[in-house]
Amino acid sequence: MGPGPSDVHPRILSAMARPTIGHLDPAFVGMMDEIKSLLQYALQTTNAMTIPVSAPGSAGMETCFVNLVEPGDKVVVCQNGVFGGRMKENVERAGGIAVMVQDDWGKAVDGNKLEETLKANRDARIVAFVHAETSTGVQSNAEELVAIAHKYDCLAIVDAVTSLAGSPLKVDQWGIDALYSGTQKCLSCAPGLSPVTFSESALDKIKARKTKVQSWFLDLNLVMGYWGGEAKRTYHHTAPVNALYGLHEALVMLQEEGIEKAWERHQRNHQVLRAGIEAMGLRFLVDEAHRLPQLNAIVVPEGVDEVRIRQRLLQEYNLEIGAGLGVLAGKVWRIGLMGFASNLKNILICLGALESVLVEENAAIQQGAAMTAAKRASA
Ligand SMILES: *Cc1c(COP(=O)(O)O)cnc(C)c1O
């Protein structure tokens, strides 16, 4: 129950254990087509360029930046946690100029600040932000931020690694131009693949490049020779066959549940955890309006050794929760309720274990109320 990888569903694990076949085998190519259309459903898009990059979320991030950013391009990067900082790195390594919009860790990206920055930087070409900041448990308003980007003729690159399948994400309706995600968070799949999607406007910018994409492996023009349209597939790299079996199964399961139902389940379970956490007298870091249901940042009570609590949870209850990062190190715990792991049983185990360890460590918490509150909230 940390910030990912989340528990991988047994159905996905057994799909991954199927025999490895050739990555140009017609049966495999047929499965690739299914993965593309299932991903379009998961991302709520009709973008033809919707594929899983053969590497983790960070490679999906690089795919977006190396293809879209040309040397000299000005990119406005909104940062309110760890992952916005990585976007800045990517812009600069691709030869772009990053203009930062900073918000406090634990707060959502401020649309007004973004708009002010775009007014002062009329030559900016791209806006980039993180939809679900896993480092702080904050959800920013992607629809609003994309609309602001478009108003100033910028393309929008969105990090949706933690939001995909966990909270509403509508690529076409919101007009997102380029997006990357991951498999090991709310899809409950093994780590190692990164779904990405690109709009027609984004592809136009890539086609109009004056310079070659500096990464051979992530150059979409080449990758599409393998993943692309109806034409025959050409070898680019050996696809991670078994990892793709897993992603296929995860996406089939998502379709069986229904994407809206998955969003609702994450939201409902967040409320159940919240009832227990608050009954214990603990509080959330993030304002209610911007809380991520799949990543709950809980403030460590005064005088409690947060590392020791996490170690005891792991050793005594076999339960992993996440630590705070950067400025929040030592100040919060991050409890993941992602994918398959977002269920009542996990919440009750987590609340029970956390309460008993906190009591033994003499923390000033309300005893004996959390489980009842959670069960009542789940009824
Ligand atoms: C996990 C995560 C990433 C990185 O994904 P990897 O698969 O670890 O490379 C990027 N952005 C966010 C918001 C994440 O939560």
Side-chain angles (χ1 to χ4, degrees), residues 3 56-59 83 86 130 132-134 159 161-162 180 182 184-185 192:
S58 303
F83 292 101
R86 295 186 173 185
V130 178
E133 239 313 341
T134 324
D159 176 328
V161 176
T162 284
Y180 57 94
Q184 78 276 28
K185 305 214 171 157

Side-chain angles (χ1 to χ4, degrees), residues 16 43 46 54 70 117 120 147 213 278 287 348 362 372 375 379:
M16 292 177 77
L43 292 164
T46 58
S54 303
E70 273 200 274
T117 307
V213 173
E278 291 181 348
D287 292 344
L348 295 177
N362 299 313
T372 317
K375 286 188 87 173

